[in-house]
Amino acid sequence: MREHCPVVVLISGNGSNLQALIDASVNSNFNIVGVISNKADAFGLERASKKAIPTFVIDHRDFPDRVTFDRALIAQIDQLDPALVVLAGFMRILSSEFVQHYPNNILNIHPSLLPKYPGTNTHQRVLNAGDQEHGVSVHFVTEELDGGPIAGHAKIMVSPEDTAETLAEKIHRKEHLLYPHVVSLFASGRLEMVNNKAWIDHQEMAKTGLELR
Ligand code: GRF
């Protein structure tokens, strides 16, 4: 059991998931020790500053390529010495070097029921396919984009009136419950990635991870 697991959160924008994590961390077993954005105008930076959480901007446009940008990220993250790196709307693909630098210790949240709909524009793709069910997944990050083992998911129903915007709202509400829950499980030591699989209480999880209802 790690008391107050130090967490670094990477963002690119609004940061509503970051806010949910900040709020949850008050009475939880994890502590956000820094927030890094690749965009200087990301609203999430203000959310963090309001709570006196150190913030850092590392603009990917200042670097010639992905690897040098990722090395700058690594240098900043390592100074903060987290036990977990949390991607919360971080809109950059991470290099193998980055992923290998934090083995088994990076989580991402993705707005679909993975392995369905990796990548972007998930709500519209769900509507185009006529799916009746949609959802959100939290997964460990591996070198495969949106492809690492799933730690948890939450489902929503798609109604005929739904648009990409209403789905995004419904999904966000679920995200804000699911992400703090999964981060807290990791912080407690109960959730881990072992041999490229998600494990809970020393047992391999189902492929879809836990379901938050
Ligand atoms: C979320 O929908 C998340 O699933 C995706 O990016 C969005 C970030 O939203 N990866 P926010 O910045 O946390 O509000």
Side-chain angles (χ1 to χ4, degrees), residues 20-35:
L21 290 164
I22 292 172
D23 294 346
S25 69
V26 175
N27 288 311
S28 194
N29 53 1
F30 63 92
N31 185 23
I32 301 175
V33 294
V35 171

Side-chain angles (χ1 to χ4, degrees), residues 13-18 88-91 108-111 136 171-172 175-176:
N14 179 29
S16 67
N17 280 286
L18 167 66
F90 184 65
M91 300 305 284
N108 183 40
I109 190 159
H110 181 78
V136 54
I171 289 289
H172 263 113
E175 289 185 332
H176 300 160

Side-chain angles (χ1 to χ4, degrees), residues 67-85:
V67 169
T68 44
F69 168 65
D70 282 6
R71 284 183 187 150
L73 269 183
I74 287 171
Q76 184 57 69
I77 294 170
D78 284 355
Q79 273 193 26
L80 296 163
D81 197 22
L84 175 67
V85 176

